[in-house]
Each structure stands twice: as structure tokens, then as C-alpha cells.
Amino acid sequence: MAQATRSNRYVGASQRLEAVGQEHILRFYEALSPAEQTALLDQVQSVDWQEVGRLIQTHVKRVPTVELPQRLEPPAYYPYRPGPELAEKYEQARRLGERLISEGRVAAFTVAGGQGTRLGWDAPKGTFPATPIRNTPLFGVFAEYLRKVQSKYRVRIPWYVMTSPLNDAATRAFFQEHRYFGLEPDQVMLFPQGMMPAIDRQTAKVLMEDRGRMALSPNGHGGSLKALHDSGALADMRQRGVEHISYIQVDNPCVKVIDPLFIGLHALDEAQMSSKMLPKAYPEEKLGVFCKVDGRIAVIEYSDLPQELAQQREAGGQLRFRAGSIAIHAIRVDFVESLNAGEGFRLPFHRAEKKVPYLDLETGRRVEPASPNAVKLETFVFDALPLCNVSIIYETDRVEEFAPIKNAEGVDSPQTSRDLQVERAARWLEASGVRVPRDAEGKVQATIEIQPTTAIEPADLQGVKLPAQIEPGSQVLL
């Protein structure tokens, strides 16, 4: 029976591949073991070959031209600290956000498909130890944050975690090993993102990793919005009554996993997808820039923004195009559904030329290319913003909410992240009257960690027994 089923699948796969000129993928099929045959057929079945055929014509055989709009303008945004004219609206938004959370209409969504390769960590990035004293892994930090939200608002928060085929099994095992960090297993849904084949630049043929596997790569963080649909996560949200998704990426331990004020502003203005921004520290900072294009919000990659615009400053000295994108969003469930309605996913694909090792089908040898030989196709989540009728931007604070862990050393490293976490903890304690030791340059002279289960904002420290002062060189865990 299994052989007959596999034979039927092989016939179907052959027909789909021949229709787009990729029949070479099954060249070694007969030489594979039954398990390898099944794995290859699973790979073939996971790919939308009609879409791949279209993209080969538009993004491989030709190089799409990227034309910036002729007129880019800085967008309006809600400031981190409101002036008198916005104070009442912020209070209204906070109350609305808290009500939506307490009614179970907000879910958390974490994009966690990456490995810790750049960190020298041979495991999913979400398993990386991130905090200054306990070395709590990133997944644990987010879970503790959600536990605090649940206790504050007496609600059960569903958490959706997008993995990748590369790290899905390891991520599931990690959650099970740590007993979901105190959450209930049925409130955590893990699912892998979609993959796209790497395609040879010269021949437009899908590259093979070996005789029984295509060379596949993730379809970009924009693919997270497709994976929500394909995995059944959107349907699960609908069943639970969820209306808004709090979108974060896995590498930032200071992120507000669910922020009532941001959710409230987003809902109050009836936005489909909203974003947090940071003022860029300098023109060359590697953050995409929010712009206004034809009345709609868009993100321009930092490398695509013309230098003359990147350098422009206002009369007060601030960068004119200063709103940097940090991949924190609030998204309506029905908007994500609309992106997946009809014949295909609505976000555009982008072309990237990469070095991809491959199997030479003529010699049977593995080739390690010295220069980019392949086209990878990916989507970006911020490309959904111009599709919104309403989209808002809310400014956040760098110390409060942006301490990413991306590189082993230097900028956005574990050390810079931990320094920022300590600084944030010190500010929260100082706001509560605790004396914190600092050197002449203002750097905290102690190691401080505030667990999310203790506080996720300064007000949560009210009622917590705090020391009158922190001793220099000490470690303080609250």
C-alpha cells in the first residue's frame, strides 16, 4: 500500500515539475531508499510550483529594477511621551488595550526561524541564554512576560511561534524539556515557515543539495504572514476570539511581547497593521526607514534610501528621515486573512543573489561556489504596510525596548544586550527611589536583573520589596 501511494505521489510530482521545467529534481529518485523517496516527495509537495515558475520568469531570468518613489516624505508618528494634546488619547488607548487583552482578543506571535550561527550557538536562536544573571533563554524571557500579562489581566494568552524546518524539532524539544516555561502546552502553537528553492542564476534550474534533497531556504520574514494561514494558526485564533496579533522577532529580550498602549492606539485608530519605531542614532544605522508614499506607510531599506535624504536634518538638528523600523508590529487577524485570500499570497518577492553549495548533476560531486551562483526569493513583512488603508507608527525608547542579540561581538551582541537590560532595570529601580551606583560616565556599577514575572513595566514594582540602595559590584535579582 505504501509503495502504491508513493508511486501515485511520484506521478503527481513529476507532472508538476515537468510543467515548470524542473523535472531534473527527480533524476536520482529510483536510486534513493524508500525513506529518502518519501522525504523528497514531501519537499516537492511543500513548494508552490506555479508560483516558482512565475518567479523564475520575473525574478531569475531577469533582474527586477527597484525604483524608489519620486516623492518620499517622513511619516507622522505617535511620540513615546505624549504632550498635553495627546495625553487624554493615550489614556483612552491604554484602557482600550488593557480591555482587549483581558477579553482574550490579543495573541502573541514570535518569529523564531533562525539559528544562533552568528552567535557561535549551534541551536535555535530562541534557546540562547540572554539575561544578565540567570542566563534565561530568549524563549523563557517571552514566556515569563506572558505569564505576567496573564496574572495582571486574568486572561490566558495564546502564543504562536514560527520555527523553520531546520530548527522546528529542536525548538519543540526545548519547549518540552522546559515544560513550556510555566505556560500550558495547549496555549503554545509551534509551526514551521514556508521554504523556497534556491535557483541557479544561469540555468534557472532549482539547485539540489544532494541526490534526494533540493536546496531550500526560508521564504523571508514576510512568509510569517503566509505561515499563519497555512499552519491553521489563523483559524485557531478565530476559534479563540483573537482579533489582534502582537508580532515580535526572537532576538530582542527587552521587547514588550504585548504592549497595551500600542495595541490600544492601533485599535483606536482602526489600523490594519501598525509599527513601532526608534529614532535612528545616525544616518548610516542599519535600520529600515519608515516613509510616507502616496499617502501610505512604507519601509525603505537603509541601503536603498538615497544619501541625500538619509543625511537631511530638521532645523532642530534631528534627522528628517529618522523613524527606524525595529520589526515590532500590531496586526489585525482579518488583515492577515485578506493577504492570503484569492489566488495567491499578496506580498511581493525580492531577489537576493547568494552562494549556495549544490550537487553537480553531471559529475555527482558537491560544489562549493566561490561567488554568488544562486537566486534566493524572499518576502518582507513590512511590505504589508502599503496594503493597509490605515497604519500607525508609535515611537518607543531604545533602552526600554531594543536590546537585540544578533552578533557574537560588537554591535547588537550578548554583551550590549545585557548592558541595556541592566540599564533598564536600573532606571526602573531609580524611578522607585532606589539608589543605584553609577560611574562618572553614568554606567551602572552593578549587575541587576528584573524578572518579567516580577515586573514588565516600572509600575509593577509598586508593592515589591525593594532595597534602599544597590551596592557597587553586587548582583541583584528581583
Side-chain angles (χ1 to χ4, degrees):
M1 178 65 101
Q3 177 62 39
T5 302
R6 199 161 51 245
S7 297
N8 292 337
R9 292 185 68 196
Y10 172 80
V11 171
S14 297
Q15 292 172 346
R16 288 194 295 275
L17 293 173
E18 287 175 11
V20 290
Q22 302 294 330
E23 58 271 18
H24 68 282
I25 291 169
L26 297 176
R27 178 180 295 188
F28 300 104
Y29 181 83
E30 297 299 335
L32 302 176
S33 69
E36 291 170 332
Q37 289 177 343
T38 298
L40 180 56
L41 293 174
D42 287 344
Q43 267 200 334
V44 172
Q45 187 173 353
S46 71
V47 174
D48 183 339
W49 291 103
Q50 187 174 358
E51 183 175 56
V52 169
R54 177 181 62 81
L55 290 169
I56 285 174
Q57 300 302 320
T58 59
H59 286 66
V60 180
K61 291 185 176 180
R62 55 183 289 265
V63 179
T65 55
V66 178
E67 294 185 7
L68 286 178
Q70 290 188 346
R71 187 174 181 183
L72 296 176
E73 298 177 349
Y77 59 85
Y78 285 104
Y80 180 60
R81 300 192 186 282
E85 73 285 355
L86 284 174
E88 184 177 342
K89 182 169 186 176
Y90 275 45
E91 289 180 12
Q92 182 185 3
R94 171 91 186 198
R95 290 195 299 271
L96 175 57
E98 290 179 334
R99 179 168 64 81
L100 291 170
I101 294 167
S102 65
E103 291 175 353
R105 291 198 267 170
V106 182
F109 178 35
T110 303
V111 175
Q115 288 289 100
T117 308
R118 285 161 62 184
L119 299 168
W121 184 255
D122 188 22
K125 187 179 285 187
T127 68
F128 187 80
T131 63
I133 295 176
R134 295 181 301 152
N135 287 317
T136 305
L138 288 157
F139 285 135
V141 174
F142 303 148
E144 290 179 354
Y145 191 107
L146 291 174
R147 285 167 55 196
K148 183 65 174 180
V149 171
Q150 293 183 152
S151 67
K152 286 181 71 170
Y153 299 106
R154 298 180 181 180
V155 67
R156 200 163 178 263
I157 302 288
W159 184 19
Y160 301 87
V161 180
M162 188 187 77
T163 64
S164 68
L166 178 64
N167 73 9
D168 184 73
T171 301
R172 291 176 187 276
F174 191 75
F175 271 86
Q176 291 167 3
E177 176 189 349
H178 290 271
R179 299 186 179 183
Y180 292 82
F181 301 95
L183 298 173
E184 295 297 326
D186 65 352
Q187 73 184 102
V188 182
M189 180 176 179
L190 295 95
F191 54 90
Q193 76 181 106
M195 305 288 279
M196 288 290 285
I199 301 165
D200 188 277
R201 288 175 55 197
Q202 304 300 324
T203 65
K205 298 293 185 183
V206 170
L207 293 172
M208 299 297 292
E209 186 174 318
D210 57 36
R211 296 188 307 169
R213 283 183 300 179
M214 293 182 285
L216 298 179
S217 59
N219 59 3
H221 45 71
S224 62
L225 304 184
K226 187 174 191 297
L228 282 172
H229 172 269
D230 294 347
S231 66
L234 285 181
D236 186 76
M237 290 178 188
R238 280 297 188 191
Q239 187 176 6
R240 295 174 187 261
V242 172
E243 297 176 358
H244 303 277
I245 302 166
S246 181
Y247 171 107
I248 65 169
Q249 295 186 343
V250 76
D251 57 13
N252 183 8
C254 279
V255 71
K256 295 180 180 179
V257 181
I258 291 181
D259 181 352
L261 174 58
F262 179 45
I263 292 290
L265 288 169
H266 162 78
L268 197 60
D269 283 3
E270 298 183 347
Q272 282 100 9
M273 178 174 174
S274 300
S275 312
K276 287 190 177 182
M277 80 80 160
L278 276 182
K280 293 188 69 167
Y282 49 91
E284 298 80 18
E285 187 174 14
K286 293 182 178 181
L287 293 176
V289 181
F290 289 106
C291 297
K292 192 172 183 180
V293 181
D294 298 328
R296 300 198 178 212
I297 301 298
V299 171
I300 305 298
E301 290 273 53
Y302 66 89
S303 55
D304 292 334
L305 188 68
Q307 274 296 305
E308 60 200 58
L309 295 182
Q311 300 283 347
Q312 281 183 4
R313 294 186 181 270
E314 296 178 345
Q318 284 187 313
L319 290 171
R320 183 165 176 256
F321 289 89
R322 61 180 173 273
S325 173
I326 53 174
I328 302 173
H329 302 285
I331 314 171
R332 285 191 61 91
V333 169
D334 56 11
F335 178 64
V336 182
E337 288 173 335
S338 74
L339 296 177
N340 289 279
E343 295 183 358
F345 188 51
R346 290 179 62 194
L347 295 194
F349 276 86
H350 296 262
R351 170 190 169 118
E353 296 184 2
K354 302 287 186 179
K355 291 191 292 185
V356 176
Y358 64 97
L359 179 75
D360 187 315
L361 298 182
E362 301 305 322
T363 66
R365 294 178 180 175
R366 182 175 171 85
V367 178
E368 298 281 347
S371 58
N373 63 310
V375 172
K376 287 188 175 183
L377 300 163
E378 56 187 2
T379 55
F380 300 151
V381 70
F382 53 70
D383 279 334
L385 293 171
L387 302 176
C388 296
N389 294 321
V390 180
S391 177
I392 68 160
I393 301 170
Y394 169 63
E395 178 186 17
T396 190
D397 179 82
R398 194 174 291 263
V399 172
E400 283 292 319
E401 201 173 2
F402 193 59
I405 301 173
K406 298 179 182 291
N407 308 306
E409 297 179 345
V411 177
D412 295 342
S413 65
Q415 186 59 56
T416 60
S417 178
R418 288 170 183 175
D419 288 346
L420 284 165
Q421 291 176 64
V422 168
E423 174 62 27
R424 185 178 72 167
R427 289 186 184 185
W428 290 8
L429 291 176
E430 287 170 335
S432 294
V434 177
R435 293 190 298 276
V436 176
R438 294 180 180 270
D439 65 16
E441 297 178 351
K443 185 174 181 180
V444 178
Q445 295 300 287
T447 303
I448 311 169
E449 180 179 336
I450 299 177
Q451 303 174 75
T453 48
T454 300
I456 55 177
E457 59 182 350
D460 293 337
L461 292 176
Q462 295 177 9
V464 175
K465 187 175 181 180
L466 301 174
Q469 66 180 32
I470 304 296
E471 295 299 325
S474 63
Q475 285 194 345
V476 177
L477 176 65
L478 296 168

